[in-house]
Amino acid sequence: MGAFSREFKPDKVLAFRFVDEELVKALTSFVERENVETGIISFIGSFRQVKLGYYDEKLKKYMAIEFKEGPYEIVSGLGNVSLKDGRPFCHIHVAIGLHDGRMFGGHLIEGDVLLAEGFVQVLEGEALVRKPDPDTGLAYWG
Amino acid sequence: MGAFSREFKPDKVLAFRFVDEELVKALTSFVERENVETGIISFIGSFRQVKLGYYDEKLKKYMAIEFKEGPYEIVSGLGNVSLKDGRPFCHIHVAIGLHDGRMFGGHLIEGDVLLAEGFVQVLEGEALVRKPDPDTGLAYWG
Amino acid sequence: MGAFSREFKPDKVLAFRFVDEELVKALTSFVERENVETGIISFIGSFRQVKLGYYDEKLKKYMAIEFKEGPYEIVSGLGNVSLKDGRPFCHIHVAIGLHDGRMFGGHLIEGDVLLAEGFVQVLEGEALVRKPDPDTGLAYWG
């Protein structure tokens, strides 16, 4: 596979604030409505509960790690928007902080937010498209 | 409350480097001087000492967690600038790394930096404004 | 030292995706080839193995912390490109997540990625240049 890259121009920036919503669903609906094909996602906030995923290379799937006794600070939320099966897809990783500051993190499967505030920096250019890789079970750009 | 969003255009980007300063104060003065109303903050570096906050939903306030025996790597610093009570306000979450790589994180109350280097990506458009929410004690955009 | 800042305009944004490469080397070659002088780096993904650094203020050098039994989620990858000794230099901090969600993080010395996907937001303006500081052994902008 090696390396892949593509050049874009910065387009508009969409600020978002969600309260009491499931973040993956809310963000995916939002970028779909705004016709975002490619973008950079970053946010902070807090979760009531969250399900993180850890990619198991042997089983070729995400194993879930559940956190149900929030709230948890969203210390960092980072990711991107690209196209998968013709629709905008949000790939997001989050780090959460407990009441004593200890942290857990991984791939965001789903999370109910008390508050999430952040940005989608929309990119202008030929859209990034995810293509399935049978070797890993993941879907890569390019 | 649900969802709120607003569209911006990317304006200038301000790179900053602070050495031996309290970060929240230094960054707030900086964005005030530069007349930033809305922006995206990201940085890395290291803290000598830092006070993190964890939002307690029942008490409706941030509980402090202090780290006094640095230095600590600033593994991630993410946040935003928006207006609160008519002035630029920096909302920042940080993750810190100890000498053995263990991490702690939360809302940044204050932190003395050995070094912080990062960016404020300034956004052009109707400013994001924080309004107090009596239910949670927090101040939300929109 | 105190504070230093510089104003830039957003230029192009480079999306990158690396599979089975050493990230620091791959990213440094990439920004060199693309003639990036100043930029903002952000990415997510996963490492097969990674060597993190913790800056020891007394010894004035980075102490290595090795993680060899991956994969590890790259929960956050944040950093910047600036010039050091006349060439583009990538300063990157990463947070990694283990199979149970526990996190470790620090300065990225080197890391073999299963996958890294992210962006270099290129900045237009007088390049940021790192200058050695004899007091700390670090190299600061300005």
Side-chain angles (χ1 to χ4, degrees):
Chain A
M1 299 281 300
F4 164 87
S5 67
R6 185 168 290 163
E7 188 177 326
F8 294 87
K9 285 282 163 204
D11 191 358
K12 62 189 172 184
V13 177
L14 301 167
F16 62 85
R17 183 270 288 143
F18 297 124
V19 169
D20 291 328
E21 305 223 19
E22 194 288 301
L23 185 59
V24 177
K25 202 171 292 178
L27 208 43
T28 304
S29 301
F30 176 57
V31 296
E32 223 167 7
R33 224 160 42 232
E34 295 283 346
N35 299 309
V36 179
E37 292 184 331
T38 305
I40 307 172
I41 297 169
S42 65
F43 58 93
I44 57 176
S46 65
F47 284 121
R48 288 191 191 286
Q49 53 181 4
V50 58
K51 197 184 284 184
L52 301 180
Y54 169 84
Y55 183 73
D56 188 306
E57 213 182 346
K58 285 187 192 101
L59 298 175
K60 297 188 183 181
K61 62 173 188 173
Y62 282 100
M63 307 303 289
I65 317 162
E66 296 195 51
F67 297 85
K68 293 184 164 178
E69 306 288 329
Y72 307 102
E73 296 292 317
I74 303 175
V75 178
S76 70
L78 274 185
N80 54 65
V81 186
S82 58
L83 296 182
K84 191 176 171 185
D85 304 322
R87 302 181 66 175
F89 174 84
C90 297
H91 184 200
I92 300 169
H93 284 195
V94 294
I96 63 171
L98 279 56
H99 68 280
D100 56 3
R102 273 181 306 140
M103 290 178 70
F104 291 86
H107 174 89
L108 177 62
I109 296 176
E110 59 179 49
D112 295 328
V113 298
L114 177 62
L115 168 65
E117 53 184 44
F119 304 91
V120 179
Q121 298 179 259
V122 183
L123 302 182
E124 187 192 317
E126 188 189 347
L128 290 174
V129 176
R130 290 190 181 279
K131 289 164 191 163
D133 174 44
D135 286 354
T136 59
L138 295 171
Y140 293 141
W141 293 341
Chain B
M1 299 281 299
F4 163 87
S5 66
R6 186 168 288 164
E7 189 177 325
F8 294 87
K9 285 282 163 204
D11 191 358
K12 62 189 172 184
V13 177
L14 301 166
F16 62 85
R17 185 270 290 144
F18 298 124
V19 169
D20 290 328
E21 305 223 20
E22 193 287 301
L23 185 58
V24 177
K25 204 171 290 177
L27 207 43
T28 304
S29 301
F30 176 56
V31 295
E32 221 166 8
R33 225 160 42 232
E34 296 282 346
N35 299 308
V36 180
E37 292 183 332
T38 305
I40 307 171
I41 297 170
S42 65
F43 58 91
I44 58 176
S46 65
F47 284 121
R48 289 190 192 286
Q49 53 181 6
V50 58
K51 197 186 283 185
L52 301 179
Y54 169 85
Y55 182 73
D56 189 305
E57 213 181 347
K58 286 189 192 99
L59 298 176
K60 297 188 182 181
K61 64 172 188 173
Y62 282 100
M63 308 303 289
I65 316 162
E66 296 196 49
F67 296 85
K68 293 183 165 178
E69 306 287 331
Y72 308 103
E73 296 292 317
I74 303 175
V75 177
S76 69
L78 274 185
N80 54 65
V81 186
S82 58
L83 295 182
K84 193 177 172 184
D85 304 323
R87 301 180 67 174
F89 174 83
C90 297
H91 185 200
I92 299 169
H93 284 195
V94 294
I96 63 170
L98 278 57
H99 69 278
D100 55 3
R102 272 182 308 140
M103 290 178 69
F104 291 86
H107 174 89
L108 177 62
I109 297 175
E110 59 179 49
D112 295 328
V113 299
L114 177 61
L115 168 66
E117 54 185 41
F119 304 91
V120 179
Q121 298 180 258
V122 182
L123 302 182
E124 187 191 317
E126 188 190 346
L128 291 173
V129 176
R130 291 190 181 276
K131 290 164 190 163
D133 173 45
D135 286 353
T136 59
L138 295 170
Y140 294 140
W141 293 341
Chain C
M1 298 280 300
F4 165 87
S5 66
R6 185 168 290 164
E7 188 177 326
F8 293 87
K9 285 282 164 204
D11 190 358
K12 63 189 172 182
V13 177
L14 301 167
F16 62 86
R17 185 269 291 143
F18 298 124
V19 169
D20 291 326
E21 305 223 18
E22 195 286 300
L23 186 58
V24 177
K25 203 172 292 179
L27 208 44
T28 305
S29 302
F30 176 56
V31 296
E32 223 167 7
R33 222 161 42 233
E34 295 282 345
N35 298 309
V36 180
E37 292 183 332
T38 305
I40 307 171
I41 297 170
S42 65
F43 58 91
I44 58 175
S46 65
F47 284 121
R48 288 190 193 286
Q49 52 181 5
V50 58
K51 197 185 284 184
L52 301 179
Y54 169 85
Y55 182 73
D56 188 306
E57 214 181 346
K58 284 188 193 101
L59 298 176
K60 297 188 184 182
K61 63 173 188 173
Y62 282 100
M63 307 303 288
I65 316 163
E66 295 195 51
F67 297 84
K68 293 184 162 177
E69 306 286 330
Y72 307 102
E73 296 292 318
I74 303 175
V75 178
S76 71
L78 274 184
N80 54 64
V81 186
S82 58
L83 296 182
K84 192 176 171 184
D85 304 322
R87 301 180 67 175
F89 174 83
C90 297
H91 184 200
I92 299 169
H93 283 196
V94 294
I96 63 170
L98 278 55
H99 68 280
D100 56 3
R102 271 181 308 139
M103 290 178 69
F104 290 85
H107 174 89
L108 177 62
I109 296 175
E110 60 179 47
D112 295 328
V113 299
L114 176 62
L115 168 66
E117 54 185 41
F119 303 91
V120 180
Q121 297 179 259
V122 182
L123 302 181
E124 187 192 316
E126 188 190 346
L128 290 174
V129 176
R130 290 189 183 279
K131 289 164 190 164
D133 174 45
D135 286 353
T136 60
L138 294 170
Y140 293 142
W141 293 342

